Amino acid sequence: MGLSDIRQRIATAEEAAGRTPGAVELVAVSKKQPDARVEAVLEEGHRVFGENRVQEAEGKWPGFRERFDPVRLHLIGPLQTNKARQAMELFDVIQVVDRPKLARTLARLAQEIGTCPDLYVQVNTGEEEQKSGILPDAADAFVAECREMDLPLRGLMCIPPVEEEPALHFALLARIAERNGLADLSMGMSADFETAVRLGATCVRVGSAIFGERPAP
């Protein structure tokens, strides 16, 4: 596999679902990938990437951006409030707004900085204790709370439980987004992105199917 294969599979899934060509943004998940692999994908012309950790992204992306701008960078891993300022200065999109304390921190910093990345609320659709995210029953109230703070919410994000049928979780996320008037859905990864496209994803997060398996630590 590789970038061109994933792009073709997304296009095929869009067509099969009756979606507009290009409706789905591909976020290449470059976390923990060697710089040489990331550079190869940049050389192929891709410009949208996802990272899990602020610290790793700080070490990797300023240099790449000097050479390959414009790059659009998504934060897709848990965000501690003490890293929020760095995240807002580095990322174009933060997909992991998952609790009121973080939302309040982002709102305060947005006032100080004068700008804010696009934001997604992370929903813990599987209600898994070990995972971040707002529980589905609390999502409507949390979206309203974020809007009261004038945060620029674009959509919702989820990571379904590994052992469950992802389509059920993608459909749940789509219903929450629809009733809250949110246009964007970040859902689907290497193993299930075609299902996500069928169920309305506007953003899929694909790592190993593009870059290969991550090297052992």
Side-chain angles (χ1 to χ4, degrees), residues 80-102:
Q80 298 172 322
T81 52
N82 64 354
K83 296 282 188 182
R85 181 181 289 274
Q86 294 101 300
M88 292 179 75
E89 291 171 348
L90 181 61
F91 290 91
D92 303 285
V93 183
I94 295 175
Q95 293 202 10
V96 289
V97 183
D98 61 355
R99 60 198 187 280
K101 182 181 179 183
L102 177 59

PDB file of all heavy atoms in Angstrom, residues 80-102:
ATOM      1  N   GLN A  80      -2.940  17.744  27.108  1.00  0.00           N
ATOM      2  CA  GLN A  80      -2.923  18.251  28.478  1.00  0.00           C
ATOM      3  C   GLN A  80      -3.070  19.773  28.442  1.00  0.00           C
ATOM      4  O   GLN A  80      -2.560  20.434  27.533  1.00  0.00           O
ATOM      5  CB  GLN A  80      -1.606  17.870  29.166  1.00  0.00           C
ATOM      6  CG  GLN A  80      -1.380  16.371  29.282  1.00  0.00           C
ATOM      7  CD  GLN A  80       0.014  16.040  29.799  1.00  0.00           C
ATOM      8  OE1 GLN A  80       0.988  16.704  29.457  1.00  0.00           O
ATOM      9  NE2 GLN A  80       0.093  15.014  30.628  1.00  0.00           N
ATOM     10  N   THR A  81      -3.733  20.312  29.440  1.00  0.00           N
ATOM     11  CA  THR A  81      -3.963  21.758  29.431  1.00  0.00           C
ATOM     12  C   THR A  81      -2.655  22.540  29.477  1.00  0.00           C
ATOM     13  O   THR A  81      -2.566  23.638  28.914  1.00  0.00           O
ATOM     14  CB  THR A  81      -4.862  22.183  30.610  1.00  0.00           C
ATOM     15  OG1 THR A  81      -4.329  21.658  31.833  1.00  0.00           O
ATOM     16  CG2 THR A  81      -6.276  21.674  30.424  1.00  0.00           C
ATOM     17  N   ASN A  82      -1.605  21.972  30.108  1.00  0.00           N
ATOM     18  CA  ASN A  82      -0.338  22.713  30.174  1.00  0.00           C
ATOM     19  C   ASN A  82       0.401  22.731  28.842  1.00  0.00           C
ATOM     20  O   ASN A  82       1.417  23.411  28.707  1.00  0.00           O
ATOM     21  CB  ASN A  82       0.557  22.175  31.296  1.00  0.00           C
ATOM     22  CG  ASN A  82       1.011  20.745  31.080  1.00  0.00           C
ATOM     23  OD1 ASN A  82       0.584  20.088  30.138  1.00  0.00           O
ATOM     24  ND2 ASN A  82       1.864  20.251  31.946  1.00  0.00           N
ATOM     25  N   LYS A  83      -0.086  21.982  27.864  1.00  0.00           N
ATOM     26  CA  LYS A  83       0.489  22.001  26.507  1.00  0.00           C
ATOM     27  C   LYS A  83      -0.420  22.729  25.514  1.00  0.00           C
ATOM     28  O   LYS A  83      -0.145  22.749  24.312  1.00  0.00           O
ATOM     29  CB  LYS A  83       0.710  20.567  26.008  1.00  0.00           C
ATOM     30  CG  LYS A  83       1.736  19.775  26.807  1.00  0.00           C
ATOM     31  CD  LYS A  83       3.146  20.150  26.432  1.00  0.00           C
ATOM     32  CE  LYS A  83       4.166  19.229  27.080  1.00  0.00           C
ATOM     33  NZ  LYS A  83       5.546  19.630  26.750  1.00  0.00           N
ATOM     34  N   ALA A  84      -1.505  23.305  26.021  1.00  0.00           N
ATOM     35  CA  ALA A  84      -2.506  23.875  25.120  1.00  0.00           C
ATOM     36  C   ALA A  84      -1.961  25.038  24.303  1.00  0.00           C
ATOM     37  O   ALA A  84      -2.248  25.159  23.105  1.00  0.00           O
ATOM     38  CB  ALA A  84      -3.737  24.305  25.911  1.00  0.00           C
ATOM     39  N   ARG A  85      -1.180  25.923  24.927  1.00  0.00           N
ATOM     40  CA  ARG A  85      -0.653  27.065  24.178  1.00  0.00           C
ATOM     41  C   ARG A  85       0.250  26.604  23.037  1.00  0.00           C
ATOM     42  O   ARG A  85       0.127  27.081  21.903  1.00  0.00           O
ATOM     43  CB  ARG A  85       0.109  28.017  25.103  1.00  0.00           C
ATOM     44  CG  ARG A  85       0.665  29.246  24.369  1.00  0.00           C
ATOM     45  CD  ARG A  85       1.430  30.170  25.287  1.00  0.00           C
ATOM     46  NE  ARG A  85       0.554  30.866  26.218  1.00  0.00           N
ATOM     47  CZ  ARG A  85      -0.077  32.004  25.934  1.00  0.00           C
ATOM     48  NH1 ARG A  85       0.064  32.566  24.738  1.00  0.00           N
ATOM     49  NH2 ARG A  85      -0.836  32.589  26.833  1.00  0.00           N
ATOM     50  N   GLN A  86       1.157  25.662  23.342  1.00  0.00           N
ATOM     51  CA  GLN A  86       2.041  25.155  22.280  1.00  0.00           C
ATOM     52  C   GLN A  86       1.220  24.511  21.165  1.00  0.00           C
ATOM     53  O   GLN A  86       1.525  24.682  19.984  1.00  0.00           O
ATOM     54  CB  GLN A  86       3.034  24.138  22.846  1.00  0.00           C
ATOM     55  CG  GLN A  86       4.043  24.703  23.818  1.00  0.00           C
ATOM     56  CD  GLN A  86       3.653  24.400  25.250  1.00  0.00           C
ATOM     57  OE1 GLN A  86       2.597  24.787  25.722  1.00  0.00           O
ATOM     58  NE2 GLN A  86       4.544  23.700  25.950  1.00  0.00           N
ATOM     59  N   ALA A  87       0.182  23.779  21.546  1.00  0.00           N
ATOM     60  CA  ALA A  87      -0.656  23.120  20.541  1.00  0.00           C
ATOM     61  C   ALA A  87      -1.348  24.142  19.650  1.00  0.00           C
ATOM     62  O   ALA A  87      -1.413  23.985  18.419  1.00  0.00           O
ATOM     63  CB  ALA A  87      -1.687  22.229  21.218  1.00  0.00           C
ATOM     64  N   MET A  88      -1.855  25.209  20.252  1.00  0.00           N
ATOM     65  CA  MET A  88      -2.564  26.222  19.470  1.00  0.00           C
ATOM     66  C   MET A  88      -1.635  26.952  18.512  1.00  0.00           C
ATOM     67  O   MET A  88      -2.060  27.395  17.446  1.00  0.00           O
ATOM     68  CB  MET A  88      -3.259  27.203  20.404  1.00  0.00           C
ATOM     69  CG  MET A  88      -4.407  26.586  21.182  1.00  0.00           C
ATOM     70  SD  MET A  88      -5.205  27.744  22.296  1.00  0.00           S
ATOM     71  CE  MET A  88      -6.145  28.748  21.154  1.00  0.00           C
ATOM     72  N   GLU A  89      -0.372  27.078  18.898  1.00  0.00           N
ATOM     73  CA  GLU A  89       0.585  27.779  18.033  1.00  0.00           C
ATOM     74  C   GLU A  89       1.122  26.890  16.921  1.00  0.00           C
ATOM     75  O   GLU A  89       1.570  27.391  15.886  1.00  0.00           O
ATOM     76  CB  GLU A  89       1.729  28.315  18.895  1.00  0.00           C
ATOM     77  CG  GLU A  89       1.284  29.448  19.830  1.00  0.00           C
ATOM     78  CD  GLU A  89       2.350  29.843  20.839  1.00  0.00           C
ATOM     79  OE1 GLU A  89       3.348  29.101  20.969  1.00  0.00           O
ATOM     80  OE2 GLU A  89       2.189  30.896  21.498  1.00  0.00           O
ATOM     81  N   LEU A  90       1.056  25.566  17.113  1.00  0.00           N
ATOM     82  CA  LEU A  90       1.662  24.636  16.161  1.00  0.00           C
ATOM     83  C   LEU A  90       0.652  23.999  15.214  1.00  0.00           C
ATOM     84  O   LEU A  90       0.943  23.792  14.034  1.00  0.00           O
ATOM     85  CB  LEU A  90       2.399  23.538  16.934  1.00  0.00           C
ATOM     86  CG  LEU A  90       3.137  22.469  16.138  1.00  0.00           C
ATOM     87  CD1 LEU A  90       4.243  23.092  15.283  1.00  0.00           C
ATOM     88  CD2 LEU A  90       3.733  21.418  17.075  1.00  0.00           C
ATOM     89  N   PHE A  91      -0.549  23.700  15.723  1.00  0.00           N
ATOM     90  CA  PHE A  91      -1.522  22.920  14.945  1.00  0.00           C
ATOM     91  C   PHE A  91      -2.576  23.821  14.313  1.00  0.00           C
ATOM     92  O   PHE A  91      -2.979  24.836  14.873  1.00  0.00           O
ATOM     93  CB  PHE A  91      -2.200  21.885  15.844  1.00  0.00           C
ATOM     94  CG  PHE A  91      -1.284  20.758  16.264  1.00  0.00           C
ATOM     95  CD1 PHE A  91      -0.551  20.844  17.434  1.00  0.00           C
ATOM     96  CD2 PHE A  91      -1.142  19.633  15.466  1.00  0.00           C
ATOM     97  CE1 PHE A  91       0.299  19.820  17.819  1.00  0.00           C
ATOM     98  CE2 PHE A  91      -0.289  18.607  15.839  1.00  0.00           C
ATOM     99  CZ  PHE A  91       0.431  18.695  17.013  1.00  0.00           C
ATOM    100  N   ASP A  92      -3.034  23.395  13.145  1.00  0.00           N
ATOM    101  CA  ASP A  92      -4.125  24.083  12.453  1.00  0.00           C
ATOM    102  C   ASP A  92      -5.482  23.562  12.910  1.00  0.00           C
ATOM    103  O   ASP A  92      -6.492  24.257  12.807  1.00  0.00           O
ATOM    104  CB  ASP A  92      -3.995  23.882  10.940  1.00  0.00           C
ATOM    105  CG  ASP A  92      -2.648  24.357  10.433  1.00  0.00           C
ATOM    106  OD1 ASP A  92      -2.461  25.585  10.344  1.00  0.00           O
ATOM    107  OD2 ASP A  92      -1.773  23.515  10.156  1.00  0.00           O
ATOM    108  N   VAL A  93      -5.504  22.311  13.363  1.00  0.00           N
ATOM    109  CA  VAL A  93      -6.735  21.651  13.808  1.00  0.00           C
ATOM    110  C   VAL A  93      -6.422  20.874  15.087  1.00  0.00           C
ATOM    111  O   VAL A  93      -5.416  20.161  15.146  1.00  0.00           O
ATOM    112  CB  VAL A  93      -7.283  20.673  12.740  1.00  0.00           C
ATOM    113  CG1 VAL A  93      -8.596  20.051  13.197  1.00  0.00           C
ATOM    114  CG2 VAL A  93      -7.457  21.365  11.389  1.00  0.00           C
ATOM    115  N   ILE A  94      -7.277  21.000  16.096  1.00  0.00           N
ATOM    116  CA  ILE A  94      -7.186  20.185  17.310  1.00  0.00           C
ATOM    117  C   ILE A  94      -8.448  19.333  17.377  1.00  0.00           C
ATOM    118  O   ILE A  94      -9.551  19.856  17.520  1.00  0.00           O
ATOM    119  CB  ILE A  94      -7.041  21.069  18.571  1.00  0.00           C
ATOM    120  CG1 ILE A  94      -5.706  21.828  18.534  1.00  0.00           C
ATOM    121  CG2 ILE A  94      -7.143  20.218  19.839  1.00  0.00           C
ATOM    122  CD1 ILE A  94      -5.522  22.820  19.674  1.00  0.00           C
ATOM    123  N   GLN A  95      -8.263  18.015  17.237  1.00  0.00           N
ATOM    124  CA  GLN A  95      -9.410  17.111  17.133  1.00  0.00           C
ATOM    125  C   GLN A  95      -9.814  16.499  18.478  1.00  0.00           C
ATOM    126  O   GLN A  95     -10.665  15.612  18.502  1.00  0.00           O
ATOM    127  CB  GLN A  95      -9.087  15.970  16.167  1.00  0.00           C
ATOM    128  CG  GLN A  95      -8.908  16.389  14.732  1.00  0.00           C
ATOM    129  CD  GLN A  95      -9.113  15.242  13.768  1.00  0.00           C
ATOM    130  OE1 GLN A  95      -9.564  14.160  14.127  1.00  0.00           O
ATOM    131  NE2 GLN A  95      -8.779  15.469  12.512  1.00  0.00           N
ATOM    132  N   VAL A  96      -9.218  16.950  19.565  1.00  0.00           N
ATOM    133  CA  VAL A  96      -9.337  16.199  20.817  1.00  0.00           C
ATOM    134  C   VAL A  96      -9.860  17.062  21.968  1.00  0.00           C
ATOM    135  O   VAL A  96      -9.419  16.928  23.102  1.00  0.00           O
ATOM    136  CB  VAL A  96      -7.978  15.567  21.190  1.00  0.00           C
ATOM    137  CG1 VAL A  96      -7.654  14.432  20.232  1.00  0.00           C
ATOM    138  CG2 VAL A  96      -6.851  16.595  21.170  1.00  0.00           C
ATOM    139  N   VAL A  97     -10.823  17.923  21.690  1.00  0.00           N
ATOM    140  CA  VAL A  97     -11.450  18.688  22.768  1.00  0.00           C
ATOM    141  C   VAL A  97     -12.401  17.732  23.484  1.00  0.00           C
ATOM    142  O   VAL A  97     -13.428  17.330  22.934  1.00  0.00           O
ATOM    143  CB  VAL A  97     -12.193  19.913  22.219  1.00  0.00           C
ATOM    144  CG1 VAL A  97     -12.780  20.734  23.368  1.00  0.00           C
ATOM    145  CG2 VAL A  97     -11.263  20.770  21.378  1.00  0.00           C
ATOM    146  N   ASP A  98     -12.025  17.335  24.708  1.00  0.00           N
ATOM    147  CA  ASP A  98     -12.692  16.198  25.324  1.00  0.00           C
ATOM    148  C   ASP A  98     -13.201  16.441  26.741  1.00  0.00           C
ATOM    149  O   ASP A  98     -13.714  15.516  27.377  1.00  0.00           O
ATOM    150  CB  ASP A  98     -11.744  14.992  25.339  1.00  0.00           C
ATOM    151  CG  ASP A  98     -10.469  15.242  26.145  1.00  0.00           C
ATOM    152  OD1 ASP A  98     -10.279  16.378  26.618  1.00  0.00           O
ATOM    153  OD2 ASP A  98      -9.677  14.294  26.299  1.00  0.00           O
ATOM    154  N   ARG A  99     -13.075  17.690  27.241  1.00  0.00           N
ATOM    155  CA  ARG A  99     -13.505  17.955  28.617  1.00  0.00           C
ATOM    156  C   ARG A  99     -13.632  19.462  28.814  1.00  0.00           C
ATOM    157  O   ARG A  99     -12.954  20.245  28.141  1.00  0.00           O
ATOM    158  CB  ARG A  99     -12.524  17.360  29.625  1.00  0.00           C
ATOM    159  CG  ARG A  99     -11.102  17.892  29.517  1.00  0.00           C
ATOM    160  CD  ARG A  99     -10.101  16.977  30.209  1.00  0.00           C
ATOM    161  NE  ARG A  99      -8.753  17.565  30.248  1.00  0.00           N
ATOM    162  CZ  ARG A  99      -7.893  17.555  29.229  1.00  0.00           C
ATOM    163  NH1 ARG A  99      -8.231  16.988  28.064  1.00  0.00           N
ATOM    164  NH2 ARG A  99      -6.692  18.084  29.370  1.00  0.00           N
ATOM    165  N   PRO A 100     -14.494  19.870  29.744  1.00  0.00           N
ATOM    166  CA  PRO A 100     -14.730  21.308  29.948  1.00  0.00           C
ATOM    167  C   PRO A 100     -13.467  22.085  30.316  1.00  0.00           C
ATOM    168  O   PRO A 100     -13.287  23.215  29.849  1.00  0.00           O
ATOM    169  CB  PRO A 100     -15.759  21.332  31.081  1.00  0.00           C
ATOM    170  CG  PRO A 100     -16.505  20.038  30.932  1.00  0.00           C
ATOM    171  CD  PRO A 100     -15.471  19.044  30.502  1.00  0.00           C
ATOM    172  N   LYS A 101     -12.601  21.515  31.151  1.00  0.00           N
ATOM    173  CA  LYS A 101     -11.396  22.248  31.557  1.00  0.00           C
ATOM    174  C   LYS A 101     -10.543  22.607  30.342  1.00  0.00           C
ATOM    175  O   LYS A 101     -10.024  23.730  30.238  1.00  0.00           O
ATOM    176  CB  LYS A 101     -10.579  21.415  32.542  1.00  0.00           C
ATOM    177  CG  LYS A 101      -9.324  22.140  33.037  1.00  0.00           C
ATOM    178  CD  LYS A 101      -8.516  21.279  34.004  1.00  0.00           C
ATOM    179  CE  LYS A 101      -7.254  22.006  34.465  1.00  0.00           C
ATOM    180  NZ  LYS A 101      -6.417  21.162  35.354  1.00  0.00           N
ATOM    181  N   LEU A 102     -10.384  21.669  29.410  1.00  0.00           N
ATOM    182  CA  LEU A 102      -9.606  21.956  28.206  1.00  0.00           C
ATOM    183  C   LEU A 102     -10.305  23.013  27.356  1.00  0.00           C
ATOM    184  O   LEU A 102      -9.656  23.921  26.820  1.00  0.00           O
ATOM    185  CB  LEU A 102      -9.389  20.670  27.397  1.00  0.00           C
ATOM    186  CG  LEU A 102      -8.642  20.834  26.076  1.00  0.00           C
ATOM    187  CD1 LEU A 102      -7.257  21.433  26.279  1.00  0.00           C
ATOM    188  CD2 LEU A 102      -8.533  19.478  25.359  1.00  0.00           C
TER     189      LEU A 102
END
